Amino acid sequence: MKTLIIAEKPDMGRNIAAAIDPKAKNHRTYIEGEQYIITWAIGHLIGLAEPDAYDDRYKKWNINDLPIIPSVFKLVPNRKTLDQLKVIKELAKRCDQLINCCDAGREGQYIFSLIQRHLKLKQPVKRLWISDLTPETIRKGFAELKDGSEYENLTKAATARSEADWLIGMNGSRAFTTRHNVLLSVGRVQTPVLALIYDRQKTIENFDSLKFFEVEGQFEQGDTHYRGMWQGDRITDPKQAETIAAKVKGKQGRIASYEVKDVKEYPFKLYDLTLLQREANGKLGFSAKKTLDIAQALYEKHKVISYPRTNSNYVTEQNIPEMHKALASLQGTAYDELAKGANRGLVHKGNKFICNPAKVEDHHAILPTHRKATSLSPDESKLYDMIVRRFLSQFYPAAEYKSHTVLTEVEGETFKTNVKELLSLGWKAIYADQKKEKGKGGKKDKDEETEEEEEVNEPFGVDAQSAVLCRDAVSKEKDTQPPKHYTEGTLLKAMESAGKQIEDEEVRDAMKDSGLGTPATRAATIERLKNVGYITMQGKKIMITQKGRTAIELIRAAGVELLTSPEMTGMWERRLNEIARGGASDAQFMENVKKFATMIVQKVRVQNRVDSKAFEGETPAAKGNSRKSKTSGGSSSGGGTSAKGSRSAPQRAKAAEADASGGGTAVLTSEPSVVANCPRPGCGGKLFMGRKGYGCSNYRIGCKFVIWKDSFGRSLTDSQVKALVEKGKTAKLKLVTNDGRQTEGRIVLRNVETGELAVEEV
C-alpha cells in the first residue's frame, strides 16, 4: 500500500509533490506516484458543531438553557469543502501510513487532528516540520520525518484552545445577547482587544489639552550655527517665555558644557509576522489581513519567502547557510548592487542579534528564499521588497554617528542642543532611496517636552572655550496632545505587548512572547471586530462604535471584567504552553474553563437590562448612503452604514450563532430614536443615528442627507447633531482638520441638501 500525504493547502501539496515525486500524476484533487498519494485540506475542513447539534432546544436562544457545556465536542464538516474531505477519506482507504504535512504550528497540527478524528483514521502517522517550501527544505524534511506521537501534546493544547474558545464565545455571546436583546459577540481574544480600543478612545475624549511655551535660541560661533531649547520647568505663562526670549536675544553667551560620543545604530530585527504587519500598515497602508494574505501567497504560491506565521525575529544555526545562499541568489536581480555590497562575514552563528536558537520556537524569522521572485503583483512586490531589504540590512555594518550635546548659557539661562553627525551610513544605505526609516519606538508624543535631535551630514563642532552669540530667540506656543487613535499597526503592537502591566509575574511571563492572540490570528481578530460592528475605520484610524462601547461597558458592569483583560489570555497561554510541553493536564484546564463559562452566565442572568438607546448605533438610519461627504478641507470620515431589520427568533439565533463562532455579520436592531427633523428643504423626514452617521428616514425615496458621526477628530453626539441641524453650527470645540492640524472652532453645516460639514475656526 501507499503513504498518504496530507498538506494544509493545495499549493503546499503541489510543492511537496514537485520536490519528492516530480513524475507523479496530477488528478486535480490529489497527486499520485508510485510511493505517495499527495492530497490536501483547504484550511479547516472540519469545525466544532453548533449548539443545536447537541439538542434541538438550542435552536431558540434562552438564557435559562445556559450554560451549554458538551461532555464530548461534536465535529461537523464544512459544507463548502465536503467534497475534498470525501477525497481524503477514499484515498486513506488505499494507504497504510499517513504523513501530516500541514503547517508546522499549533493550528496546522489541529487541522490534521480534526481530519484524523472525524474520518477515524487509524494508520500510523509521521510529521513533516519545515519552515519554507523550497525543494531542498522539503526533501531534507522528508529525510528527517518525526513520529506523529511526538506532537501529541501539541494536539492536546490546540484542541483545548479551540474548545475553550467555543465555550466562552457561545455562552458569553448567548448570555449577553438574550439578556439585552441585541446581538453581542464575546470572545477570549476579541473582547480584551476591543477593551484596548475602548480605553484609548475614552482617554482621548476625556483629555484636556494644556497650552505651554518653549523658548528656542539661535546661536552662532564663527561659521558654526546651531539652535537650542531653553531648559527649565514647563512654562505656562506666555509672558514668562517672551521675557526669557527678550532677555537673551542679541546677547553674548558661553559654552557651559560640551560632550561628544561615538554612537552606532545596528540594523533592525528580522521580521516576524506581527512586526511585518505593523510596518506594512504604517508604510504601505496595508491592513493586517492584507499583509498576512500577501505573505502567505509569497510563501505558498511564489515560494520566495519562508513560513510567514512566525513569532520569532531570530534564526537558528542551521539557517545561516540558507541566508548566505539567499544572498547569493539576489545577485543579478533588482537587488544586485545591494547584494554585491553585502558582507557575508557579518551573518554568522555567533551574531546573537540574528542567530539566537533560544528565541526560535516553531519557526524562525521571515527570510527570502533563494528562489528568484518573478510574476509578483504590485502589492506582492512591495511586501517582498520590505522583507528583502530587512534581510539585506543584516549583512551591512552599523550606521555610525557622533552625538554632540551642547549646553549654552546666556544671561543665566541654559539652552540644550543635540546634534547627530553622520559618519557612515552602514546598513541605512539599504534604504537610501526611500524615506528615512523611523526608530524603533517611532515618534515621541508631542505632549512631551522632547529634546529635539538634529541630524546633519556635515562636520559639526563648537569650541568650549570661545564665546557664543545668541542671534535670535523666539517663544513657541505648544499644546499637550492626547494619545493617538489606534491604527491597525499600533493595535497589533498593543496586542503583542498586552499583559506587560499584569502584576502576576507568572502570567506576565506567559504573555511575554504571546500577547493577545497569535501572529496568525491577530489579523482575523481585527477583521472580526469590524464585521460584528464594534469598530469602524476612519482612514487609518480605528474608531469604536456605539455598539462596541456598550459591549465593553456591559461586560465590565456584569462583574466579568476578566473577559476584557489580557490577564485571562495570559493565564490560558501559560497553561496551553505547559500542555504542549507535557507539563499540564488538558482535562484540568477544560474543567476550569467550564467553571468560568458557568460563572459568566450566572453574572449576566442577574444583570439589569440596558435601555435600547445604549444601542442607537444599531438603527437602520442611514442605510444605502455609501458616499463620503466632502468638506472644505477634503473628505470627512465615514462611509455607508447598513443594518438588518428585526428578525424572527430562529433567524436571530442563526445570525448570532455565526457571530459567536466567527461567521456572519448580522445586526439585531432596536427601536430608532429621532434626533432631529431633516433640514433638507421639502423633505419632511426624521434624522436617526446609524452605526456611522445620522441619516434621514426618507433615504429610500431619495433623500441623501447624512452627517457622519466621526468628523474633524470628534465623535459627534446627538445634541451636537441637533445643534448643527437647528442652528447650523456646534459650540466651540477642539478639532482636527483633514490635513491633521489641530485647531479650535465650530463645525458648521455647509450644505443642507447633503449634510456636508466644514470647520469655522475661531
Side-chain angles (χ1 to χ4, degrees), residues 14 59 126 214 218 282 316 347 372 378 382 387 400 408 448 460 545 552 578 642 653 697 731 754:
R14 296 186 189 104
K59 288 179 179 177
K126 294 288 184 181
E214 293 179 342
Q218 298 287 344
T316 66
V347 176
K372 303 282 187 190
K382 290 175 185 174
I387 294 166
E400 296 183 13
T408 306
E448 295 178 10
F460 176 85
T545 64
I552 292 299
E578 290 173 355
S642 64
S697 58
T754 64

Side-chain angles (χ1 to χ4, degrees), residues 3 25 105 208 219 228 319 347 365 371 408 410 455 514 531 596 602 612 651 665 707 723 734 747:
T3 295
K25 186 177 179 182
D208 286 326
F219 303 99
N319 301 128
V347 176
R371 179 174 288 242
T408 306
V410 184
E455 190 169 324
S514 60
N531 290 340
F596 185 60
Q602 291 169 342
S612 63
Q651 286 175 317
T665 60
I707 291 176
K734 287 186 172 66
I747 302 176

Side-chain angles (χ1 to χ4, degrees), residues 205 207 209 211 709 711-717 719-721 723-724 729-737 741-748 757-762:
E205 290 169 357
F207 183 82
S209 181
K211 289 191 185 303
K709 184 171 179 61
S711 296
F712 303 110
R714 307 289 304 194
S715 183
L716 296 179
T717 63
S719 59
Q720 287 166 343
V721 171
L724 278 167
K729 62 178 66 176
T730 65
K732 186 176 167 184
L733 302 167
K734 287 186 172 66
L735 303 171
V736 179
T737 61
R741 185 169 53 83
Q742 299 210 357
T743 187
E744 289 188 355
R746 296 179 175 86
I747 302 176
V748 298
L757 304 177
V759 169
E760 179 185 274
E761 295 191 46
V762 294

Side-chain angles (χ1 to χ4, degrees), residues 307-357:
Y307 184 76
R309 297 168 184 246
T310 174
N311 64 354
S312 179
N313 305 102
Y314 299 91
V315 301
T316 66
E317 295 176 355
Q318 290 74 31
N319 301 128
I320 298 296
E322 291 297 317
M323 291 180 71
H324 288 170
K325 192 184 293 186
L327 175 66
S329 72
L330 290 171
Q331 294 187 20
T333 70
Y335 304 98
D336 181 71
E337 188 177 336
L338 294 173
K340 286 178 177 174
N343 181 353
R344 296 166 63 91
L346 292 174
V347 176
H348 55 84
K349 295 175 183 178
N351 185 342
K352 294 303 179 186
F353 290 105
I354 300 169
C355 183
N356 193 337

Side-chain angles (χ1 to χ4, degrees), residues 384-671:
Y384 179 68
D385 181 72
M386 285 180 60
I387 294 166
V388 170
R389 288 180 191 261
R390 182 58 60 92
F391 166 78
L392 282 169
S393 70
Q394 311 303 311
F395 291 88
Y396 278 70
E400 296 183 13
Y401 297 88
K402 275 193 182 299
S403 175
H404 303 262
T405 304
V406 184
L407 291 181
T408 306
E409 189 177 289
V410 184
E411 296 292 314
E413 305 293 345
T414 302
F415 294 79
K416 189 172 186 178
T417 302
N418 292 296
V419 174
K420 190 176 171 185
E421 177 192 346
L422 176 66
L423 301 178
S424 171
L425 261 181
W427 65 272
K428 293 189 177 183
I430 300 288
Y431 300 94
D433 59 339
Q434 298 185 337
K435 289 182 179 178
K436 183 180 172 184
E437 282 253 306
K438 288 193 184 80
K440 193 174 178 183
K443 291 183 179 178
K444 295 181 182 179
D445 289 339
K446 291 180 183 176
D447 60 339
E448 295 178 10
E449 292 176 277
T450 58
E451 295 178 355
E452 296 180 34
E453 186 173 53
E454 183 178 0
E455 190 169 324
V456 297
N457 295 328
E458 306 80 22
F460 176 85
V462 295
D463 181 355
Q465 306 306 316
S466 299
V468 177
L469 174 66
C470 180
R471 288 190 299 112
D472 195 10
V474 292
S475 168
K476 293 185 172 182
E477 183 181 308
K478 302 274 187 175
D479 285 296
T480 56
Q481 301 295 318
K484 295 183 183 302
H485 285 279
Y486 281 119
T487 64
E488 288 202 25
T490 57
L491 182 60
L492 285 167
K493 182 179 180 180
M495 292 170 73
E496 185 179 44
S497 61
K500 287 187 176 177
Q501 307 306 316
I502 291 174
E503 291 184 11
D504 186 303
E505 188 174 347
E506 283 189 66
V507 176
R508 188 171 64 245
D509 286 346
M511 293 196 72
K512 182 174 60 179
D513 299 316
S514 60
L516 287 170
T518 66
T521 61
R522 286 177 188 135
T525 298
I526 295 173
E527 290 301 307
R528 174 132 187 76
L529 292 174
K530 294 177 189 175
N531 290 340
V532 299
Y534 283 161
I535 63 172
T536 186
M537 301 302 297
Q538 181 183 332
K540 280 189 180 182
K541 292 192 294 190
I542 296 173
M543 309 295 290
I544 195 165
T545 64
Q546 184 62 34
K547 181 180 182 181
R549 289 171 185 264
T550 307
I552 292 299
E553 288 164 1
L554 284 175
I555 291 167
R556 286 174 170 168
V560 287
E561 58 274 8
L562 189 60
L563 264 178
T564 68
S565 165
E567 189 171 354
M568 186 177 77
T569 286
M571 291 188 291
W572 280 31
E573 286 302 328
R574 178 181 65 179
R575 193 65 69 216
L576 290 170
N577 289 337
E578 290 173 355
I579 293 168
R581 292 192 296 264
S585 163
D586 55 324
Q588 183 59 53
F589 171 79
M590 289 304 297
E591 280 304 310
N592 292 335
V593 173
K594 290 171 185 177
K595 289 177 183 175
F596 185 60
T598 302
M599 187 265 282
I600 292 172
V601 172
Q602 291 169 342
K603 295 273 191 181
V604 177
R605 185 177 281 128
V606 298
Q607 189 176 30
N608 291 330
R609 180 168 291 172
V610 299
D611 190 282
S612 63
K613 289 182 180 178
F615 300 101
E616 284 179 332
E618 302 304 317
T619 64
K623 184 176 179 181
N625 290 309
S626 59
R627 62 180 176 82
K628 286 187 178 180
S629 64
K630 298 289 181 183
T631 69
S632 57
S635 63
S636 119
S637 68
T641 66
S642 64
K644 295 181 176 67
S646 57
R647 304 161 181 269
S648 65
Q651 286 175 317
R652 193 158 59 239
K654 280 293 179 189
E657 201 71 84
D659 194 47
S661 59
T665 60
V667 178
L668 181 66
T669 67
S670 59
E671 286 299 314

